Amino acid sequence: MKKINILSFFFLICFSVHAQTEKGRFLVGAGTNVGLSEPSGMMNLSFSRQKTFIDDDLSSQTNFNNLFIAPKAGYFIVDNLVAGLDMALGWGNGTTSIDGASQNSDINTSLFGFGPFVRYYFSSGKVLPFAEVNTLFGSRNIEFTGAFTSENQQTFTNIGGGVGLAFLLGNRSSIDLVLNYNSNRINFESENYTDRENTLGIKIGFTMFLGKVPEI
């Protein structure tokens, strides 16, 4: 009888884990990237300070804060495999000051993008390894005011992916930790040139699994 109870216990654990990622359920979540990027930020959560020495007696300093949120929603087309839509929302602001200058320059940025993603979960208990890939298409606006005024419109294409761990919180949610890679192709429309930005960092997210959990 004791052996039967132990087997039943492990069966319940395996079943509850599988039920979260089975065909027909939905996934919704949001996260942010913490990694290395340019001072004005592209798609990450950052608080940076950069100092540039122009010559022996002159230097400039830029302080910049960037907020980035990546919501997502998907559907499990088969067990453990979910496909859906990623979004990218970003806002940033900063100030550049030059020694001896009477006026600072302010920087404000905004970003929006969306595109498809695919994620596959590997069932293994209360911690689920997974792998995902995604593509984003969007635009970013950068506005300078103060000592000089200008506005720059950019479009971008992002290809990303990573491997991570989903730490399950009950039957309907998880905290996700992802080693994430992003490659951005940025088109500067007003200046007619293209730039590339590659980043490797950590993605932190929260996920909810929606839909009816089947009864045992």
Side-chain angles (χ1 to χ4, degrees):
M1 181 63 69
K2 185 176 181 180
K3 291 182 179 179
I4 293 176
N5 289 336
I6 293 174
L7 290 174
S8 299
F9 173 75
F10 283 106
F11 173 77
L12 287 172
I13 291 178
C14 294
F15 183 87
S16 63
V17 169
H18 174 73
Q20 289 177 314
T21 60
E22 72 169 10
K23 178 182 177 180
R25 300 203 72 193
F26 294 90
L27 176 153
V28 295
T32 190
N33 297 319
V34 181
L36 300 176
S37 184
E38 58 176 308
S40 59
M42 182 65 185
M43 285 191 289
N44 64 354
L45 176 68
S46 62
F47 308 93
S48 63
R49 174 176 294 180
Q50 176 178 310
K51 190 163 187 177
T52 302
F53 293 93
I54 302 171
D55 56 36
D56 292 340
D57 300 318
L58 192 63
S59 64
S60 67
Q61 181 170 294
T62 299
N63 298 318
F64 195 86
N65 302 319
N66 196 65
L67 174 65
F68 176 73
I69 302 174
K72 70 194 314 146
Y75 176 78
F76 283 91
I77 53 178
V78 297
D79 288 353
N80 300 325
L81 179 64
V82 57
L85 184 69
D86 263 334
M87 293 184 65
L89 304 171
W91 305 269
N93 62 81
T95 301
T96 297
S97 59
I98 300 177
D99 294 343
S102 59
Q103 189 174 15
N104 297 331
S105 295
D106 296 322
I107 310 169
N108 291 284
T109 69
S110 59
L111 176 146
F112 173 76
F114 65 93
F117 82 92
V118 176
R119 177 183 289 188
Y120 185 82
Y121 287 91
F122 301 89
S123 298
S124 65
K126 289 296 184 180
V127 179
L128 302 182
F130 64 85
E132 67 177 13
V133 293
N134 73 296
T135 301
L136 290 167
F137 306 93
S139 62
R140 180 172 66 160
N141 181 73
I142 302 179
E143 183 179 12
F144 295 89
T145 58
F148 65 94
T149 300
S150 68
E151 187 171 357
N152 189 290
Q153 295 284 343
Q154 305 170 0
T155 60
F156 67 87
T157 301
N158 168 272
I159 298 176
V163 292
L165 297 172
F167 299 88
L168 300 179
L169 306 173
N171 290 324
R172 296 188 178 274
S173 61
S174 70
I175 297 293
D176 304 332
L177 190 63
V178 189
L179 179 62
N180 196 57
Y181 172 79
N182 282 300
S183 177
N184 295 308
R185 177 186 173 91
I186 309 166
N187 300 311
F188 294 78
E189 296 180 353
S190 60
E191 302 174 30
N192 196 29
Y193 78 94
T194 300
D195 194 10
R196 287 188 178 273
E197 175 186 306
N198 299 307
T199 62
L200 180 66
I202 299 297
K203 185 176 182 178
I204 302 171
F206 176 76
T207 297
M208 294 188 65
F209 303 95
L210 304 180
K212 184 178 179 181
V213 180
E215 297 180 359
I216 300 175

